[in-house]
């Protein structure tokens, strides 16, 4: 074909033919310049081909760039068949692995940093996840340091704990048996907060008292659960002391004040066999070097005052049995037995004491939204880093689980639902002040994909969906010192950004939402001066109009829409994190103060589920929060426990 003076010919069979010939040359050892020694087996290949598909081998070859002979790379801990499968993939782009070899291929792909292969193998293993293999899969995911894989296995175990507990792998796990003495008429709460206190007690026993985990499991340990919900060492109570372990605010206090950083998850050296050997060194290790995993995974009430829990203690996957008894004079006769026929519903007196389940991570500056009846909390930051993880709350189960993490760590952003998908735009990744990137989440595939970037980097901007478009309002300038007036709209069909009318007042950290076909920008700050002003956008004439101001100036507030009114929650007034809440009635164009939250929260997230407003995370002025509370409009009250009369529409 002649085109623009050039002869153009496309040979569609050339690439396939060349690839097949190169792989044949590899197998025949022809023109090969690298030897992989894998557990006594020698595999020949071409350095350039491997460098193109394996960043790990590229680094090795690049450091040996002056070598003109044959490179030798030795692996003593990989499966030769798995490496051969990866070599075939490198030459043919076809991955063909026997199902019994998928774990070995995953391990080799992890070493070679072949992320696509690792993801494909992980997805295959997750598709085969069931009650019989859940424990072995968790041990494998833990040994690989794969946070995404691990979170999905843990979510499965949470949903199927009793079925998992009947399997042979589960029955072989180390067991910690605890007897918890109770005051008369007091019952143990069947929620994760109790086990957080138990983890604190175990940590203290290991690092402050010098005990070993094996020793703790040799006999039944006696603890005391006080009427004010503290967990106390039973021996100290009997001797007349009252030292308290695991108070309400000191979750995992003996290792770290906050949950483990996401960047540390890949470095945790968790046991893959259930052996107790890791704790031998941990008992005498300095506190600041203890970085193994401590985690509550799941629990069930199995009988009256009998509880079963699966947790990771100092990197060791363990079963914890709890038996509550009212009489300190008697002792347990046997380990509690599982009784699937019994009801696992909490009793009314327990519900009054049961806090709503907290998120796995404390987060401030997070993005939140309601999607398919669930509460989605994404990203945010704690004192040390911006987060990628995304958690999903099911109000019917009172349970948080992980969904696919975002592609980019980000905080100081807002999230909106558009055409059944979640959108996040801009924010900060903790390294640069602002991001121009955006991404969207498809709940059908559990995947995040990129969307076209903003024309300017934007942090602390408001995000809202309106008339099948996504709007980004205000935000911080590149220096982070002034608010912006900019307003941009994204068309998800055309995949293009367009400019809209500018705000009347510069704003960053404003709360933005849609109500009755209008978009509202609420409060925020011009520079660091908090605003009580509010403006409304009319898409029909592309104009912003100032409306009645709030009673309280605030930035970093959250907003929800209920029954045709706006509910603005918390924020920061320039001096303090706020508990106060106010409501805007567009028919009256006025604001009314409502009942305050149980906690002060700035840069928190809110969403409507049914007829209930949920508030999560944020910063209370001292601590980053992972707690949840709900608002009942009928009673004008906030609750942080399950006794809240929170009607949910089906």
């Amino acid at each position: 074909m002649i085109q623009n003076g050039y002869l153009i010919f496309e040979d569609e069979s050339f690439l396939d033919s060349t690839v097949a010939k190169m792989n044949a040359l590899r197998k025949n050892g022809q023109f090969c310049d690298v030897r992989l020694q894998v557990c006594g087996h020698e595999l020949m290949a071409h350095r350039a081909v491997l460098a193109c598909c394996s960043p790990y081998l590229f680094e090795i070859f690049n450091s040996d760039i002056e070598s003109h002979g044959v490179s030798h790379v030795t692996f003593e801990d990989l499966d030769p068949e798995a490496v051969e499968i990866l070599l075939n993939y490198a030459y043919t782009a076809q991955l063909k692995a026997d199902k019994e070899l998928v774990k070995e291929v995953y391990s080799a792909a992890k070493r070679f940093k072949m992320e696509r292969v690792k993801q494909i193998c992980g997805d295959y293993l997750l598709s085969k996840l069931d009650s019989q293999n859940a424990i072995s899969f968790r041990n494998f995911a833990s040994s690989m340091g794969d946070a995404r894989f691990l979170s999905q296995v843990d979510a499965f175990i949470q949903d199927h704990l009793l079925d998992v507990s009947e399997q042979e792998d589960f029955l072989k796990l180390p067991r910690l048996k605890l007897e918890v003495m109770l005051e008369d008429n007091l019952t143990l709460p069947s929620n994760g907060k109790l086990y957080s206190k138990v983890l604190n007690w175990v940590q203290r026993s290991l690092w402050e008292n010098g005990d070993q985990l094996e020793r703790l499991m040799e006999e039944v340990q006696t603890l005391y659960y006080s009427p004010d919900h503290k967990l106390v060492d039973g021996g100290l109570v009997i001797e007349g002391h009252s030292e308290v372990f695991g108070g309400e605010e000191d979750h995992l206090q003996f290792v770290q004040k906050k949950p483990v950083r996401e960047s540390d998850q890949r470095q945790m050296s968790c046991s893959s066999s259930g052996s107790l050997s890791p704790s031998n060194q941990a008992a005498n290790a300095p506190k600041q070097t203890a970085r193994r995993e401590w985690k509550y995974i799941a629990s069930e009430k199995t009988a009256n005052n009998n509880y079963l829990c699966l947790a990771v203690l100092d990197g060791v996957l363990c079963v914890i049995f709890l038996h509550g008894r009212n009489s300190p004079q008697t002792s347990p006769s046997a380990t509690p037995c599982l009784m699937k026929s019994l009801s696992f519903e909490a009793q009314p007196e327990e519900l009054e004491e049961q806090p709503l389940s907290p998120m796995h991570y404390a987060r401030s500056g997070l993005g939140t939204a309601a999607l398919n009846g669930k509460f989605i909390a994404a990203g945010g930051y704690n004192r040390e880093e911006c987060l990628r993880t995304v958690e999903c709350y099911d109000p019917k189960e009172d349970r948080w689980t992980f969904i696919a993490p975002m592609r980019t760590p980000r905080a100081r952003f807002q999230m909106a639902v558009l055409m059944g998908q979640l959108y996040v735009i801009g924010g900060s990744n903790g390294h640069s002040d602002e991001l121009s990137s955006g991404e969207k989440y498809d709940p059908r595939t559990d995947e995040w994909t990129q969307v076209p970037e903003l024309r300017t980097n934007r942090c602390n901007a408001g995000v809202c969906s309106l008339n099948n478009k996504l709007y980004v309002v205000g935000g911080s300038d590149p220096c982070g010192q002034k608010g912006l007036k900019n307003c941009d709209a994204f068309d998800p069909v055309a995949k293009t950004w367009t400019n809209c009318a500018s705000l009347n007042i510069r704003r960053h950290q404003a709360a933005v939402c849609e109500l009755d076909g209008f978009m509202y920008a609420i409060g925020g700050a011009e520079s660091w001066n908090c605003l009580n002003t509010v403006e409304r956008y009319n898409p029909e004439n592309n104009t912003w109009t100032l409306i009645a101001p709030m009673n309280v100036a605030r930035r970093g507030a959250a907003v929800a829409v209920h029954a045709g009114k706006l509910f603005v929650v918390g924020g920061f007034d320039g001096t303090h994190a706020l508990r106060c809440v106010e409501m805007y009635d567009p028919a009256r164009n006025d604001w009314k103060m409502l009942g305050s939250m149980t906690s002060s929260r700035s840069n928190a997230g809110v969403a409507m589920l049914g007829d209930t407003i949920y508030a999560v995370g944020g910063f209370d002025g001292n601590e980053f929060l992972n707690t949840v509370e709900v608002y009942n409009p009928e009673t004008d009250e906030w609750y942080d426990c399950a006794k809240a009369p929170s009607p949910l529409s089906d």
Side-chain angles (χ1 to χ4, degrees):
M1 181 178 66
I2 305 297
Q3 181 177 339
N4 297 328
Y6 292 92
L7 171 63
I8 298 175
F9 168 67
E10 295 183 5
D11 189 344
E12 296 181 357
S13 65
F14 177 81
L15 184 58
D16 291 340
S17 174
T18 301
V19 164
K21 289 177 181 178
M22 288 184 67
N23 200 31
L25 290 173
R26 175 186 73 83
K27 292 183 176 181
N28 292 329
Q30 294 176 279
F31 310 120
C32 294
D33 54 3
V34 61
R35 284 190 175 97
L36 303 183
Q37 301 286 344
V38 186
C39 293
H41 292 72
E42 184 174 84
L43 303 175
M44 303 290 288
H46 303 95
R47 183 160 35 186
V49 175
L50 300 190
C52 288
C53 67
S54 168
Y56 176 78
L57 292 175
F58 175 88
E59 294 169 6
I60 292 178
F61 299 151
N62 195 47
S63 64
D64 191 33
I65 198 167
E66 295 182 0
S67 173
H68 300 291
V70 178
S71 296
H72 292 78
V73 186
T74 301
F75 300 97
E76 296 294 346
D77 55 350
L78 297 181
D79 186 291
E81 289 185 69
V83 175
E84 173 65 23
I85 289 168
L86 291 184
L87 293 184
N88 274 320
Y89 172 80
Y91 281 79
T92 66
Q94 294 182 346
L95 187 70
K96 184 177 181 181
D98 185 275
K99 62 183 180 180
E100 302 300 328
L101 276 175
V102 173
K103 285 186 179 180
E104 285 72 21
V105 175
Y106 180 106
S107 299
K110 179 178 185 292
R111 174 70 66 84
F112 289 174
K113 298 183 179 179
M114 298 171 69
E115 293 299 322
R116 181 60 176 161
V117 176
K118 194 178 93 168
Q119 180 182 346
I120 293 298
C121 291
D123 289 345
Y124 173 82
L125 292 172
L126 287 171
S127 72
K128 302 300 180 183
L129 181 62
D130 58 31
S131 298
Q132 292 184 338
N133 61 29
I135 296 300
S136 64
F137 275 32
R138 194 196 191 279
N139 286 330
F140 175 75
S142 180
S143 68
M144 292 293 103
D146 189 328
R148 170 179 168 270
F149 192 177
L150 199 60
S151 68
Q152 295 198 45
V153 175
D154 284 350
F156 177 88
I157 292 174
Q158 289 171 5
D159 292 333
H160 304 86
L161 179 59
L162 287 175
D163 290 334
V164 172
S165 70
E166 296 180 338
Q167 307 308 317
E168 185 176 357
D169 282 353
F170 187 91
L171 298 175
K172 291 180 179 179
L173 291 174
R175 300 184 172 207
L176 177 64
K177 290 170 281 188
L178 303 176
E179 182 174 50
V180 182
M181 297 185 296
L182 301 166
E183 294 288 340
D184 290 339
N185 302 318
L186 188 65
T187 56
L188 288 170
S190 54
N191 58 64
K193 206 153 191 176
L194 170 64
Y195 296 99
S196 297
K197 303 178 197 300
V198 171
L199 263 63
N200 287 340
W201 175 82
V202 175
Q203 289 167 336
R204 180 129 184 183
S205 297
L206 293 186
W207 280 294
E208 293 203 354
N209 300 340
D211 291 333
Q212 294 183 355
L213 195 53
E214 298 99 322
R215 292 286 300 275
L216 293 179
M217 294 184 176
E218 287 178 358
E219 57 186 23
V220 176
Q221 304 297 320
T222 303
L223 304 177
Y224 170 72
Y225 192 70
S226 64
D228 57 350
H229 313 300
K230 309 292 186 183
L231 197 62
V232 181
D233 187 279
L236 295 177
V237 172
I238 294 171
E239 295 170 6
H241 301 285
S242 58
E243 189 171 359
V244 174
F245 304 99
E248 297 293 327
E249 304 299 333
D250 57 357
H251 180 56
L252 302 187
Q253 65 175 348
F254 304 116
V255 174
Q256 55 214 11
K257 192 68 175 177
K258 303 169 294 301
V260 176
R261 298 191 309 163
E262 291 183 318
S263 58
D264 289 337
Q265 285 185 335
R266 293 180 293 274
Q267 302 170 10
M268 290 176 178
S269 56
C270 302
S271 168
S272 61
S273 64
S275 168
L276 297 182
S277 58
S279 66
N280 291 336
Q281 295 84 19
N284 298 315
K287 294 179 194 177
Q288 62 268 24
T289 64
R291 304 300 274 176
R292 280 189 290 268
E293 188 179 15
W294 289 86
K295 182 181 179 182
Y296 156 79
I297 297 174
S299 61
E300 285 281 4
K301 181 179 179 183
T302 60
N304 186 32
N305 270 342
N306 287 347
Y307 301 84
L308 168 71
C309 170
L310 185 64
V312 184
L313 306 178
D314 196 23
V316 179
L317 191 62
C318 299
V319 181
I320 302 175
F321 287 105
L322 270 79
H323 171 67
R325 64 181 175 90
N326 293 102
S327 172
Q329 284 73 38
T330 60
S331 59
S333 57
T335 298
C337 299
L338 302 184
M339 300 174 64
K340 290 188 65 174
S341 61
L342 295 179
S343 170
F344 304 118
E345 297 296 325
Q347 298 302 315
E349 61 268 25
E350 293 173 349
L351 289 176
E352 292 188 357
E353 299 177 0
Q354 182 177 345
L356 292 167
S357 294
M359 294 185 290
H360 294 88
Y361 286 95
R363 306 169 185 267
S364 184
L366 67 161
T368 56
L371 181 66
N372 299 331
K374 308 288 178 63
F375 189 112
I376 309 297
Y381 58 91
N382 52 37
R383 291 191 188 276
E384 298 180 359
E385 65 179 344
C386 291
L387 306 175
R388 292 177 58 223
T389 51
V390 185
E391 302 189 41
C392 174
Y393 179 74
D394 185 338
K396 295 180 180 178
E397 299 288 334
D398 184 32
R399 177 174 294 171
W400 290 92
T401 56
F402 287 104
I403 59 176
M406 294 185 293
R407 300 165 66 95
T408 301
R410 67 179 78 223
R412 300 183 183 277
F413 69 98
Q414 293 181 20
M415 184 162 64
V417 178
L418 178 62
M419 297 182 179
Q421 298 187 327
L422 292 174
Y423 281 78
V424 299
I425 304 293
S428 170
N429 64 8
H431 302 292
S432 59
D433 288 335
E434 292 87 20
L435 296 170
S436 60
S437 64
E439 48 191 301
K440 65 178 179 178
Y441 173 77
D442 187 337
R444 296 168 299 179
T445 61
D446 189 33
E447 289 183 331
W448 292 87
T449 55
Q450 288 183 317
V451 299
E453 294 191 350
L454 287 162
R455 282 172 278 190
T456 57
N457 293 8
R458 198 86 64 90
C459 182
N460 290 319
V463 175
C464 170
S465 60
L466 174 65
N467 295 340
N468 291 327
K469 291 185 178 180
L470 188 77
Y471 288 81
V472 179
V473 180
S476 302
D477 70 350
C479 297
Q481 299 298 316
K482 289 184 178 180
L484 299 173
K485 290 186 176 181
N486 305 41
C487 179
D488 300 298
F490 176 70
D491 186 331
V493 178
K495 295 182 171 57
T496 56
W497 288 95
T498 56
N499 291 329
C500 305
S502 297
L503 291 161
N504 293 289
I505 299 172
R506 296 178 180 272
R507 298 177 191 271
H508 67 95
Q509 293 191 57
V512 175
C513 70
E514 180 271 340
L515 174 61
D516 294 335
F518 295 95
M519 181 166 56
Y520 291 79
I522 305 162
E526 277 189 287
S527 55
W528 295 110
N529 297 318
C530 295
L531 302 170
N532 68 344
T533 56
V534 182
E535 40 193 309
R536 179 169 59 198
Y537 176 73
N538 186 341
E540 292 187 359
N541 56 21
N542 190 31
T543 57
W544 287 94
T545 304
L546 287 165
I547 60 173
M550 291 185 291
N551 297 289
V552 178
R554 57 181 93 205
R555 59 180 170 90
V559 61
V561 175
H562 173 65
K565 299 179 176 61
L566 301 179
F567 292 75
V568 177
V569 174
F572 187 74
D573 65 1
T575 305
H576 302 101
L578 301 173
R579 295 174 56 226
C580 59
V581 179
E582 49 189 305
M583 178 188 71
Y584 176 72
D585 185 344
R588 300 168 56 91
N589 189 31
D590 66 7
W591 292 86
K592 174 185 177 183
M593 299 302 296
L594 301 177
S596 294
M597 293 185 290
T598 63
S599 298
S600 300
R601 298 177 188 267
S602 66
N603 292 306
V606 301
M608 283 293 308
L609 295 179
D611 294 325
T612 305
I613 299 175
Y614 284 73
V616 301
F619 183 67
D620 67 1
N622 294 304
E623 297 288 342
F624 292 88
L625 305 175
N626 64 347
T627 54
V628 182
E629 56 184 294
V630 297
Y631 176 73
N632 187 328
E634 294 183 4
T635 62
D636 188 28
E637 289 182 288
W638 289 85
Y639 303 87
D640 60 2
C641 54
K643 70 178 181 180
S646 50
L648 294 171
S649 58
D650 293 330

